[in-house]
Amino acid sequence: MDLAALKALKPSEYQAAADGYRATSEMAGKAGEALDSRISAGIRNQLSGETAKAALRELKELSKDFHYAAAECALAGAALDGFAFDMAAAKRKLEAALEDAAAAGCTVGADGSVSFPAGGKEVDGKVPEGGTVRVSTSPADPTSAALERQAVHMHPNPNFGKAVGFADRIGDALKEATDADVKWAPKLRALKADDDLVVSDKDWIDVKSDTAGVRDAGKDYFDSLPRPPEHDDPKKNAAWWQGLTDEQRSDYLSAHPDAVGAMDGLPATARDQANRTVLDEAHAKARLDYDAWLKKHPEPERYQPYIDPYTGSMPKGLSVESQEWKDWEEARKKVWGPVGGMEAIEKRFDYTDESKRPYLLGFDDKNNGRVVISIGNPDTADNVATYVPGTGTTLSGIDGDIHRAEMLQDRASLTDPTHTTASITWLGYDAPQGLLTDATDAKYADAAREPLSDFLTGIDTAHHGSVNSTVLGHSYGTLVAGETLRDHPDLPVDRAILVGSPGSGVDHAKDLHIGADQVWAATARNDLVNLAPPPAGTLAPLNPMAYWRLFNDHSVMYGNDPTSDEFGGQTFHVAPGKLPGSDGLMPAHSQYWEGDSLNNMAKIVTGGNP
């Protein structure tokens, strides 16, 4: 970067180009949304057959193209803004140096050299002559810098020292501009997409790499923007977001999608946009990892001849699955699990009704995974139900939990068609995985109290009006919900539903701070959670109350049974459920989203009484 180029450079032109890329990103996003919400939804609602299926497959790929284009164009806009910011800083330094040099009577040449006039005390009857100082864009080593300071001190013309200072400032500005050019050029080149219409898994891996590159290169630019709150305070998050310009929001979202997607209090549309990018990147990596695993672990022979354990003979034509294949299949399913969970989320984007549009409000594939998804827009819905699942919930098995939210939203819409309902699955915590091990420890709920509180506060903060909010806990999720309500008296929650509960962390409904008459509980007669033991120690053999408690106590693992009279809340009717062992170990524990139970929960969620 030379003096003429930096003087002529106009950062505003790059900012204008950034605006163009942002506009393209927005158009691509709207085009993809239109494909999903109108065109594809219309085909699903009105057509069937192989032709319709083929059309939907092609439209799905086109929708992916638009989403990819939206992400990359937004990144290009952020990169150009970052480049313009860096170059504007260098240009300001150059212009300040040139102005100061002119004011001091110095002349700056086309190569950046600084000519200074004669000046100083006469020596042998002559005023020390002027001269020229060459500019350098190379960093000076300590020895050179020391020699330069010595030369300035010894030079008889004081204008020499001034010229040296101006030359150094010009050199610094040129070096800063050169460094910015060198830094940003490869980042911008990396944003060039493949010349095809197929968005592959590798393309999304590149998006993640591009995002990291833009974020790192643009650190100074992003640091110049209003900083987001250090802690997840929904109200402060909302104020920060509202304080940004549209351009700043776009840049921050494109470079920090994981941070924006996790911020409680932000609009559902912004969080959804950010989290879908995070999901696409994670899905692509998981699929590539799965393919690599298959290549490294080829499928063994599935069947082997059956050997009669009594006779040792091998009946002709009779075969069984080999143990080697069974072990391989178990390992394969474990590797595939997160991929299947992500695809279960993505298939919700193929909705047929705008009222059932999904909003991905949180996503993380680390460990067992975290997923927060709303069926319906929680920012505009009259009723919002937040379902907290319990033991065993993971990203791999999230399909069933999302389906529960869908069923509740659908039934609530039928129950109260004059008001809209958004139904959320909130797996925003690390759920315990073992029924007889992890689930007996409250530490998972303890760690979930603040995240759930922030989320529920964020829903209220981002809402466009008043909202009827219900938190629905199932199994261990009732403990998470109960502890959260217990420890946050001012939480914006109107009603609570506790189903299949081993206890909610309190002995009395009033301790949940929403009014005992707004706390509803139910447990199916055949649900084995009824056998949840009292708190540890209450059945100690030498405890005189032990035998009384055994037959007449209503305490369960985490406080009083929410369906007991002692708890003091409301109860509602549910079917007995299937007997243990008739369809798995605890079938009744998973039957609350059907029949009378679902109808009654829908009535509660919409503000009625079952």
Side-chain angles (χ1 to χ4, degrees):
M1 179 70 65
D2 58 24
L3 180 67
L6 185 55
K7 285 175 67 176
L9 186 138
K10 297 179 180 179
S12 60
E13 293 181 347
Y14 293 92
Q15 291 171 325
D19 291 339
Y21 275 101
R22 270 191 294 272
T24 302
S25 173
E26 185 176 351
M27 286 189 291
K30 288 182 177 179
E33 182 69 22
L35 276 179
D36 295 336
S37 64
R38 295 201 297 273
I39 301 175
S40 294
I43 291 176
R44 292 189 193 93
N45 285 330
Q46 301 177 37
L47 302 175
S48 62
E50 292 304 315
T51 301
K53 291 179 181 178
L56 286 172
R57 284 194 298 269
E58 292 300 317
L59 289 172
K60 186 68 175 177
E61 291 303 313
L62 184 57
S63 179
K64 290 180 181 179
D65 290 344
F66 280 125
H67 187 202
Y68 173 76
E72 287 286 83
C73 286
L75 272 177
L80 288 167
D81 277 338
F83 175 73
F85 176 85
D86 288 347
M87 297 303 288
K91 188 176 177 68
R92 285 193 298 271
K93 289 182 179 181
L94 175 64
E95 290 173 343
L98 294 177
E99 290 178 6
D100 291 346
C106 296
T107 303
V108 178
D111 60 354
S113 60
V114 180
S115 298
F116 59 94
K121 295 181 180 180
E122 292 185 0
V123 179
D124 297 331
K126 294 182 179 180
V127 175
E129 295 181 352
T132 299
V133 176
R134 301 296 174 187
V135 70
S136 174
T137 58
S138 301
D141 59 74
T143 301
S144 299
L147 291 173
E148 184 178 87
R149 289 194 297 271
Q150 185 177 9
V152 168
H153 181 71
M154 295 177 61
H155 201 285
N157 187 340
N159 292 321
F160 171 75
K162 296 178 182 179
V164 168
F166 298 139
D168 287 346
R169 289 168 61 188
I170 292 171
D172 288 344
L174 293 177
K175 181 180 184 305
E176 190 172 313
T178 300
D179 290 346
D181 190 40
V182 170
K183 175 180 68 174
W184 281 108
K187 308 300 181 188
L188 288 165
R189 281 196 296 268
L191 295 173
K192 184 178 180 181
D194 294 334
D195 187 16
D196 58 37
L197 291 177
V198 177
V199 179
S200 66
D201 291 334
K202 289 184 178 180
D203 287 331
W204 277 111
I205 295 297
D206 285 342
V207 172
K208 188 169 185 177
S209 175
D210 293 342
T211 301
V214 170
R215 183 171 57 243
D216 293 343
K219 183 179 184 306
D220 290 341
Y221 167 61
F222 288 112
D223 285 348
S224 74
L225 303 180
R227 300 292 294 165
E230 293 185 4
H231 304 290
D232 191 23
D233 183 319
K235 296 186 185 300
K236 290 182 179 179
N237 289 343
W240 167 75
W241 187 255
Q242 291 167 5
L244 300 177
T245 66
D246 290 342
E247 292 79 10
Q248 291 170 341
R249 289 175 192 157
S250 175
D251 288 350
Y252 203 90
L253 190 154
S254 65
H256 297 272
D258 51 346
V260 171
M263 282 188 181
D264 295 311
L266 267 57
T269 51
R271 297 183 70 172
D272 178 63
Q273 180 183 348
N275 284 313
R276 289 202 192 192
T277 297
V278 176
L279 171 64
D280 280 333
E281 293 170 354
H283 186 199
K285 182 179 184 304
R287 284 193 63 91
L288 289 174
D289 289 346
Y290 177 73
D291 291 342
W293 187 91
L294 288 178
K295 186 176 293 186
K296 188 176 180 180
H297 302 85
E299 182 177 6
E301 192 69 35
R302 181 170 182 174
Y303 295 101
Q304 64 183 24
Y306 172 73
I307 302 176
D308 190 306
Y310 298 103
T311 65
S313 64
M314 293 186 295
K316 187 176 181 180
L318 192 60
S319 61
V320 294
E321 290 179 343
S322 67
Q323 187 59 47
E324 183 184 9
W325 183 87
K326 290 179 181 179
D327 292 342
W328 176 87
E329 178 65 2
E330 182 178 354
R332 185 198 68 79
K333 287 181 178 179
K334 186 175 181 179
V335 177
W336 171 259
V339 181
M342 293 181 221
E343 293 187 352
I345 297 171
E346 290 180 338
K347 77 178 182 182
R348 264 67 189 195
F349 302 147
D350 299 332
Y351 55 94
T352 58
D353 184 339
E354 182 61 28
S355 68
K356 302 182 186 305
R357 182 198 189 283
Y359 291 82
L360 189 58
L361 305 180
F363 178 81
D364 190 339
D365 64 335
K366 297 181 182 65
N367 300 320
N368 288 324
R370 297 188 180 188
V371 178
V372 182
I373 187 168
S374 177
I375 307 302
N377 190 341
D379 293 353
T380 59
D382 300 305
N383 308 301
V384 175
T386 302
Y387 156 54
V388 183
T391 303
T393 313
T394 64
L395 167 61
S396 298
I398 200 65
D399 186 32
D401 293 287
I402 299 175
H403 185 53
R404 290 175 176 178
E406 291 171 326
M407 288 190 290
L408 181 59
Q409 197 262 1
D410 187 60
R411 191 62 54 89
S413 299
L414 293 173
T415 302
D416 183 8
T418 62
H419 296 90
T420 56
T421 298
S423 184
I424 300 170
T425 293
W426 187 85
L427 179 59
Y429 77 114
D430 295 320
Q433 296 302 301
L435 188 63
L436 300 178
T437 52
D438 294 348
T440 63
D441 194 331
K443 67 180 183 180
Y444 301 95
D446 295 343
R449 287 175 294 186
E450 292 304 319
L452 180 56
S453 172
D454 288 339
F455 178 77
L456 293 169
T457 301
I459 291 295
D460 185 71
T461 301
H463 200 275
H464 297 172
S466 60
V467 58
N468 170 46
S469 176
T470 301
V471 59
L472 164 59
H474 172 241
S475 187
Y476 191 91
T478 64
L479 178 62
V480 175
E483 285 195 1
T484 302
L485 291 168
R486 179 194 70 194
D487 295 348
H488 300 87
D490 298 324
L491 206 57
V493 171
D494 301 287
R495 293 186 152 197
I497 302 175
L498 310 172
V499 291
S501 177
S504 58
V506 297
D507 290 331
H508 304 286
K510 62 182 177 60
D511 296 330
L512 300 182
H513 307 295
I514 58 174
D517 61 335
Q518 300 302 321
V519 179
W520 296 84
T523 298
R525 186 178 64 208
N526 293 325
D527 188 343
L528 284 183
V529 79
N530 286 303
L531 300 181
T538 61
L539 292 182
L542 298 180
N543 182 347
M545 291 296 294
Y547 303 101
W548 174 257
R549 288 178 179 275
L550 182 62
F551 295 104
N552 201 43
D553 185 37
H554 293 279
S555 63
V556 285
M557 192 174 296
Y558 299 110
N560 278 334
D561 181 351
T563 64
S564 67
D565 293 339
E566 283 76 7
F567 189 75
Q570 304 266 39
T571 60
F572 60 95
H573 176 262
V574 297
K578 296 179 181 179
L579 290 170
S582 62
D583 184 14
L585 178 62
M586 298 176 63
H589 194 58
S590 301
Q591 289 187 278
Y592 295 100
W593 281 264
E594 57 185 61
D596 288 345
S597 177
L598 181 59
N599 289 333
N600 288 330
M601 290 195 296
K603 291 176 183 177
I604 297 169
V605 163
T606 54
N609 296 327

